[in-house]
Structure formats: structure tokens, C-alpha cells
Amino acid sequence: MTKTVILGVIGSDAHVVGITILEQALEAAGFDVVNLGVQSSQEEFVEAASANDAEAVLVSSLYGHAKQDCEGFHQRIAESDIDVTTYIGGNLAVGQDDFDETRSFFRKMGFDRVFDSETDPEEAIEALKADLDMRSTESEQEGQTVSV
């Protein structure tokens, strides 16, 4: 069964390269991706998750203002009565020196997983598969073999 994920860059951030790479990697991994693009509002994420019966929402932010952009985000999700796994990744805070502190802040904010800007897309995809309890069947695994 294909899992639907919502992907976008929140707030006034216009960095598109990372989510384009992530979109392609997620699709290659078998996800149905709804890419909101850049400068997406909290409302757009919540509406897309609801309209597409999404299992996960992946928020990207590279310009360092994610703390402000995500304030109240999980309250909006709760008010919309949707049940989604939430991820955030990127350069989340201006002057981000200690990522453990940043991770802790966003986990307290309600995000299930928090990634820095150096995270390999495959790491996030493996975490997402685990969080959504996606196990490929033996025949799917055979179809994923790479010939050289």
C-alpha cells in the first residue's frame, strides 16, 4: 500500500533544491509525494495532509527561522483532527551551534523526527519507513535489486 507524504518548505523560505531531491528520493522509495513547493504556510501543510489523507508531513526550512514559522503548527494539526507523523529538517535556527539543543526544541514542539541540513535523504526515508511501519515484501525486495 502506497503511503502519502506532504513535503514543502515552510514560511518565507525559498530554498527548493533540497525538497526537489527529497521528493525524487521519496518517490523512488515508493511514496506518493505531494510537494507544496516553497514559501508554504502552516495552513497549506494541514489542508494538504487532510485532503490527501496523508500519513506524514515533512517540513523543510533552510533559512534559519523554523522556530518562528512552526510555532503553533502541531496545534493546527490537532485542531484539524488529522493523525500524521511530522518531520522537520534543514538549517532550523540562526546560529545553530548545538544541533542536540535544536533537535530537543523541535521535539518538544511536537515533531516526531528532527534532521539537520547534512542528513542524507536515505536516512530520513528509512526513518519514515520505520515510523510508518512499512515493510517491503520479498517480491518487492527482489524488484529493487540493482544490476551492474
Side-chain angles (χ1 to χ4, degrees), residues 37-54:
V38 299
Q39 299 180 328
S40 301
S41 68
Q42 291 183 16
E43 294 84 7
E44 289 172 299
F45 280 97
V46 172
E47 288 171 8
S50 180
N52 292 282
D53 197 25

Side-chain angles (χ1 to χ4, degrees), residues 8-64:
V9 180
I10 199 162
S12 297
D13 195 336
H15 292 91
V16 70
V17 174
I19 65 163
T20 302
I21 293 167
L22 190 54
E23 176 185 22
Q24 292 170 354
L26 285 162
E27 287 176 344
F31 289 93
D32 180 19
V33 181
V34 176
N35 187 343
L36 301 177
V38 299
Q39 299 180 328
S40 301
S41 68
Q42 291 183 16
E43 294 84 7
E44 289 172 299
F45 280 97
V46 172
E47 288 171 8
S50 180
N52 292 282
D53 197 25
E55 282 80 19
V57 172
L58 286 67
V59 176
S60 175
S61 181
L62 283 173
Y63 75 146

Side-chain angles (χ1 to χ4, degrees), residues 100-119:
D100 287 335
E101 287 178 22
T102 300
R103 178 181 288 116
S104 177
F105 178 87
F106 283 96
R107 293 278 296 148
K108 287 176 186 168
M109 191 179 261
F111 285 93
D112 296 298
R113 300 247 188 183
V114 183
F115 299 99
D116 65 19
S117 61
E118 302 298 316
T119 303

